[in-house]
Amino acid sequence: MQEEGVDALLLSVGPDLPYFTGYEAMPLERLTMLVVPRESDAVLVVPRLEAPRVEERPEVFCVDAWDEVDDPVARVAALVDGARSVAVGDHTWARFVLAMQSALPRAQFCAASHVTAPLRAVKDADEIEALYAAARSVDEIAIEMRERPFAGRTEREVHRELMERILDVGHERVNFAIVATGPNAASPHHDPADRVIAKGDVVLCDFGGTMHGYCSDITRMFAVGEPDAEVRDAYAALRVAQEAGVQSAQVGATYEAVDAAARDVLVGAGFGDAFVHRTGHGIGMEAHEDPYVVAGNTTELVAGHAFSIEPGVYLPGRFGLRLEDIVVATADGPRRLNDAPRDLAIVA
Ligand code: ZN
Ligand code: ZN
Ligand code: ZN
């Protein structure tokens, strides 16, 4: 906070609050807010009826429960009285931010992620272990999928099976299960539909959830029967691009250099225009969080950063391909958390 010139940090719904306190606020019209003044102790302002869910940690924060007739915004404003720079949690409801701005007319507001994102980006050993456990369990699903029949089923059926398996292997929550087949896969975040999978299709499966508070995210590709030469060539280039992205993820490199390492391979293979998104995103308590592997991000990789490397090739009207692993930057080089086979699996 000192480095960023922030006098008070206000955290409401979203992952910052559980990251620092272990308490996850319910997204309610009743305000929950952790007030962290730079020069004094942290206070969790919480609705009285939610207070029993708070695990008290007096060494970290004290609890200020408000009653139905109280004005929680006035309470927060009183706690940060005189603050000139206030950082407010990125997921805070706009109505509370607007009320807070009226209550503190002389304060400048900025996004709390200026303070919290660099802290959350560096994972400690327990967090990496949690990400690894989540990655291993989606690997298991990706491996099983190689033996499953695809032809004759709809995208929605495969999507439902993936969601069920994500929970079966120990996640508490499914975050997404993209199943995009044939030409639908040219839309990177296609919503599973009633399209029936047929021989000759390529199938993109991108899925993940939250396990013990940390996210998984993997993409693997399946071909129903032998793929044609065009698909094989594009997939070969994609694999080289993904490997180049992973290998370039060295401590001290910039995120834009990692993006370029993957992108240059696809540009060289003639698929530059077909790679329409950034190479990856940070992952932790959120499926997508800082740091982003994208041109223009000159942040350097630090040991403990965890992120996806997921180049793709999208050819509208024809097909789409993506390959994704979660990687952790370490002093000994990049460590992949996913280990399911990366070839284009031929399925029935
Ligand atoms: Zn995505
Ligand atoms: Zn993904
Ligand atoms: Zn991803």
Side-chain angles (χ1 to χ4, degrees), residues 55-78:
E55 193 188 320
E56 296 205 28
R57 298 175 66 188
E59 77 287 6
V60 182
F61 59 89
C62 61
V63 175
D64 178 11
W66 59 273
D67 292 300
E68 299 283 40
V69 294
D70 293 338
D71 177 356
V73 170
R75 237 134 134 163
V76 171

Side-chain angles (χ1 to χ4, degrees), residues 178 188-189 206 281 288 310 322:
I178 298 169
H189 281 168
D206 181 355
H281 53 83
H288 289 190
E310 51 176 310
R322 180 160 69 249

